[in-house]
Amino acid sequence: MISGAYIISEETKEELTKFKKATNSVSTTNAIIYSIDKDTLEIKRDQPRVFKSLKAVAKKLGNVPRYIVVAYPLTLSSGLKPVRYVFLYYNPPCKAEINVPYADAKESMHKVSGTGRILDIQSPEGLKDVPILLGGNEREDWKKKDGDKDKDEDKDEDEDEDEEEDDSEWDDLE
């Protein structure tokens, strides 16, 4: 599929379909980051993993736009536990020649992702507000507790190792 000059490959479409099927009843956040290859103009995965928290996603975001597809489980005040699918357009302040391609392809990528909403995020800190924007009760708290500094740092490193994608769980979904 071509949107303007941007390519969303069949592989990316299939990957997004598998992601949605594999995450329809998760109890933890799952997210995939996409970028536009500046040479081929193909929209493809930026990182070869599925992230398990918005905090882990925030750590990987830099000063260039990205698309992030998120499966976010919520617990509503009614007690229901739906998984919300959201398309995050990460758009930090940057040069127009970097931003324009992402702005141009945003709607096409959103449509292909099969998510319900688009949220524009301008900074990694903005990811903390995603739960509220999706109808949750409070924003994510990423602050470390005093005395837990070393423990949290070790946990983050372990989470990064655990976040490596295992495509084998998606193979059965076809």
Side-chain angles (χ1 to χ4, degrees), residues 104-116:
D104 286 348
K106 175 177 142 180
E107 290 297 327
S108 294
M109 184 60 180
H110 171 247
K111 184 183 271 188
V112 170
S113 74
T115 58

Side-chain angles (χ1 to χ4, degrees), residues 4-169:
Y6 307 103
I7 301 165
I8 302 173
S9 69
E10 288 301 318
E11 180 182 342
T12 296
K13 288 189 232 179
E14 289 173 16
E15 181 180 82
L16 286 163
T17 299
K18 287 179 183 181
F19 175 76
K20 197 163 183 181
K21 286 180 181 178
T23 58
N24 66 1
S25 62
V26 294
S27 59
T28 59
T29 301
N30 283 259
I32 301 175
I33 301 173
Y34 288 89
S35 62
I36 298 175
D37 182 294
K38 65 182 178 179
D39 297 324
T40 66
L41 300 180
E42 180 181 351
I43 299 171
K44 56 186 178 180
R45 276 176 88 156
D46 187 63
Q47 300 282 324
R49 59 165 33 76
V50 174
F51 292 89
K52 301 296 183 185
S53 72
L54 292 176
K55 182 179 180 180
V57 170
K59 287 181 179 181
K60 294 296 180 182
L61 297 176
N63 296 322
V64 294
R66 293 288 182 258
Y67 304 125
I68 307 158
V69 178
V70 180
Y72 194 89
L74 289 174
T75 300
L76 303 178
S77 57
S78 65
L80 294 174
K81 296 183 177 190
V83 174
R84 300 277 196 236
Y85 292 93
V86 63
F87 180 82
L88 302 179
Y89 173 45
Y90 176 66
N91 183 23
C94 62
K95 295 178 183 177
E97 61 264 18
I98 296 172
N99 185 37
V100 168
Y102 284 88
D104 286 348
K106 175 177 142 180
E107 290 297 327
S108 294
M109 184 60 180
H110 171 247
K111 184 183 271 188
V112 170
S113 74
T115 58
R117 292 183 64 185
I118 297 175
L119 299 177
D120 289 350
I121 306 292
Q122 283 74 43
S123 72
E125 283 285 312
L127 292 173
K128 290 181 180 182
D129 293 326
V130 168
I132 291 172
L133 296 170
L134 295 178
N137 297 326
E138 54 189 54
R139 66 192 303 244
E140 287 199 2
D141 182 13
W142 299 344
K143 292 181 182 175
K144 294 179 183 180
K145 297 176 185 174
D146 291 337
D148 287 344
K149 184 176 181 180
D150 295 334
K151 180 180 174 184
D152 285 349
E153 287 173 1
D154 290 343
K155 184 178 177 188
D156 288 342
E157 289 173 14
D158 290 343
E159 284 176 0
D160 283 346
E161 290 172 14
D162 292 341
E163 287 172 6
E164 290 299 322
E165 177 189 0
D166 179 9
D167 281 334
S168 62
E169 70 184 50

